[in-house]
């Protein structure tokens, strides 16, 4: 089993190092190969997704990814910016289904900004489409406005698009995920305003005929944002498009105490996947040894479950994370009075010890 290790930028290297430590402590034989990506790819090879890195990602059975991005690259042309690496990997490997479980561990109830009665016991799953929508739709760019009240003025424009096959494949993934959980699926759209999302809703309803055991409902994205902070436990599985999913999953992250707790899996049709924390490269805390590595460690557990068919090892990691939390160990983002503040490496080592 070959795992491509792509640490990336900012806190990427610090947190991925901890996840690799945990994987190595499982006693399984993994072949790993590390390659630069994002700003690190640009520095090493003049491109955020160097050819060698893309080749490695294609060959590997699974990819463990840290994060990319740094403000120092903001002046580069868009095609060379670090963030293009993750968009390129998602597109090149057809990683269209993004799973973001938002689980609140009982020990972190106090770390959430919401009242305990609103969030305790939270266990929801956001399924985000990752290959389409306004993030990839063409045409896009800058031009002189061809019409409208400011005709002739400079304007920026992007295109929101979803084809029927794209919606159908993410719908099937989401219904199947809901079937394995609470059998409730909420499709989040903006069908009241956008043609793309009226079409999305129509296809969701059509696909639902194949899943009579799953209850489907629909919610506008603005209402979904409100409900996520008002009564998040009412959700079971949420399925939505690329942009809405990007925003809603960050909101869901805070329910779990910190974005540093939220893992993710991005899968293709054959369950090959890229596994990364839901957060970015956090340049504000990079190099300080204080980043929370648990989202990355939990992403490695998802990798074992979804791509490497090692569910017992995935359980071991998840149980070890629960154990270190119950021991009271906390990185600063989840620290509360009465717990023990630890750094990135100490947290990683504690998870390794807890595996035993
Ligand atoms: P971010 O997620 O990097 O950081 C947001 C806030 O959360 C910061 O205060 C940061 O310190 C904190 N944070 C994030 N991860 C943490 C962790 N593990 N432990 C403790 N605190 C943590 O988002 P941002 O600041 O908007 O973006 C920074 C860079 O990351 C940008 O260049 C952005 O484009 C990039 N980004 C990359 C990805 C990715 O690689 N998939 C995703 C989102 C953002």
């Amino acid at each position: 089993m070959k795992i491509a290790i792509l640490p990336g930028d900012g806190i990427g290297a610090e947190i991925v190092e901890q996840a690799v430590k945990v994987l190595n402590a499982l006693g399984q034989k993994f072949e790993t190969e590390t390659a630069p990506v994002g700003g690190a790819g640009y520095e090493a090879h003049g491109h955020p997704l160097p050819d060698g890195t893309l080749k490695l990602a294609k060959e590997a059975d699974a990819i463990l990814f840290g994060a990319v991005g740094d403000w120092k690259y903001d002046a580069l042309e868009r095609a060379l910016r670090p963030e293009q690496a993750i968009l390129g990997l998602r597109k090149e490997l057809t990683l269209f289904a993004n799973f973001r479980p938002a689980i609140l561990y009982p020990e972190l109830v106090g770390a959430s900004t919401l009242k305990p009665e609103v969030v305790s016991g939270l266990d929801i799953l956001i399924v985000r489409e990752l290959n389409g929508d306004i993030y990839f739709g063409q045409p896009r760019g800058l031009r002189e406005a061809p019409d409208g009240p400011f005709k002739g003025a400079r304007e920026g424009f992007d295109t929101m698009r979803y084809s029927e096959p794209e919606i159908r494949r993410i719908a099937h993934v989401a219904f199947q995920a809901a079937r394995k959980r609470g059998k409730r699926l909420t499709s989040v759209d903006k069908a009241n305003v956008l043609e793309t999302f009226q079409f999305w809703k129509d296809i969701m309803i059509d696909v639902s005929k194949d899943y009579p055991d799953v209850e489907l409902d629909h919610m506008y994205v603005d209402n979904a944002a409100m409900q996520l902070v008002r009564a998040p436990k009412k959700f079971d599985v949420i399925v939505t498009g690329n942009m809405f999913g990007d925003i809603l999953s960050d909101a869901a992250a805070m329910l779990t105490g910190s974005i540093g707790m939220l893992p993710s899996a991005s899968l293709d049709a054959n369950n090959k996947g890229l596994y990364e924390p839901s957060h970015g490269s956090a340049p504000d805390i990079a190099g300080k040894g204080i980043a929370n590595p648990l989202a990355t460690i939990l992403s490695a557990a998802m990798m074992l479950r979804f791509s490497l068919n090692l569910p017992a090892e995935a359980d071991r990691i998840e149980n070890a994370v629960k154990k270190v939390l119950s021991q009271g160990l906390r990185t600063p983002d989840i620290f509360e009075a009465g717990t023990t503040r630890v750094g990135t490496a100490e947290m990683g080592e504690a998870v390794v010890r807890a595996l035993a």
Side-chain angles (χ1 to χ4, degrees):
M1 284 175 286
K2 182 163 180 174
I3 306 172
I5 309 283
L6 311 184
D9 308 319
I11 59 170
E14 304 164 46
I15 52 177
V16 165
E17 187 186 336
Q18 308 314 314
V20 172
K21 262 190 221 167
V22 171
L23 286 171
N24 286 337
L26 288 172
Q28 293 283 330
K29 271 209 177 321
F30 301 113
E31 187 192 337
T32 60
E33 190 176 334
T34 303
V37 72
Y42 176 76
E43 300 291 349
H45 301 286
H47 195 278
L49 184 53
D51 290 344
T53 303
L54 180 58
K55 186 165 169 283
L56 171 66
K58 285 184 172 169
E59 281 168 10
D61 298 300
I63 302 149
L64 186 63
F65 189 93
V68 290
D70 196 304
W71 300 305
K72 71 181 177 194
Y73 300 111
D74 280 359
L76 284 177
E77 62 173 280
R78 186 166 299 282
L80 294 179
R81 288 201 211 157
E83 292 78 3
Q84 293 306 309
I86 185 67
L87 294 173
L89 281 166
R90 289 169 183 168
K91 200 70 183 171
E92 287 280 342
L93 279 73
T94 326
L95 304 171
F96 67 91
N98 184 230
F99 284 72
R100 295 190 174 196
I103 296 170
L104 178 63
Y105 291 92
E107 294 81 5
L108 295 186
V109 167
S112 173
T113 46
L114 268 68
K115 291 181 192 147
E117 60 269 30
V118 176
V119 283
S120 61
L122 180 84
D123 179 355
I124 63 175
L125 173 67
I126 299 182
V127 179
R128 169 187 169 198
E129 201 290 331
L130 218 52
N131 267 197
D133 206 348
I134 198 162
Y135 288 8
F136 289 102
Q138 295 289 344
R140 60 188 285 166
L142 292 174
R143 64 183 175 190
E144 278 183 14
D147 46 31
F150 296 103
K151 188 174 173 190
R154 285 198 317 140
E155 73 171 10
F157 69 106
D158 298 273
T159 306
M160 179 176 274
R161 294 168 69 161
Y162 263 123
S163 65
E164 184 170 345
E166 280 176 306
I167 304 172
R168 282 192 185 276
R169 69 183 179 181
I170 194 70
H172 282 291
V173 165
F175 275 104
Q176 282 160 21
R179 191 171 250 178
K180 291 189 199 136
R181 295 175 40 108
K183 298 187 169 46
R184 286 183 299 112
L185 179 64
T186 303
S187 169
V188 171
D189 62 50
K190 191 71 186 172
N192 50 342
V193 176
L194 299 169
E195 300 307 327
T196 314
F197 274 93
Q198 180 59 54
F199 184 53
W200 169 284
K201 182 173 179 177
D202 294 343
I203 302 293
M204 285 289 159
I205 292 169
D206 196 43
V207 173
S208 73
K209 292 175 194 150
D210 293 346
Y211 302 89
D213 52 326
V214 177
E215 186 191 319
L216 172 70
D217 66 357
H218 309 271
M219 197 177 276
Y220 298 137
V221 62
D222 39 351
N223 186 22
M226 182 177 78
Q227 298 303 334
L228 261 181
V229 287
R230 194 184 76 89
K233 285 188 281 184
K234 289 203 171 151
F235 293 105
D236 177 19
V237 180
I238 292 174
V239 61
T240 191
N242 204 345
M243 180 165 65
F244 298 159
D246 194 0
I247 299 165
L248 292 181
S249 57
D250 264 30
M254 252 343 273
L255 307 175
T256 68
S258 166
I259 196 158
M261 292 300 302
L262 209 70
S264 85
S266 305
L267 304 179
D268 73 2
N270 303 311
N271 283 349
K272 172 166 173 169
L274 180 147
Y275 298 83
E276 58 170 332
S278 296
H279 56 75
S281 55
D284 53 335
I285 57 167
K288 296 185 178 163
I290 57 170
N292 186 344
L294 293 180
T296 316
I297 291 171
L298 291 167
S299 301
M302 291 181 86
M303 175 174 78
L304 298 175
R305 182 169 291 119
F306 288 123
S307 290
L308 302 183
N309 201 20
L310 291 168
E313 277 69 16
D315 287 348
R316 278 182 72 198
I317 294 182
E318 286 164 359
N319 288 333
V321 167
K322 283 180 199 152
K323 194 166 166 191
V324 298
L325 292 174
S326 66
Q327 288 164 348
L329 303 185
R330 303 283 188 274
T331 43
D333 56 311
I334 49 174
F335 176 78
E336 294 170 77
T339 61
T340 308
R341 192 189 293 261
V342 294
T344 311
E346 284 167 281
M347 186 59 109
E349 282 146 22
V351 175
V352 168
R353 279 196 303 277
L355 280 175

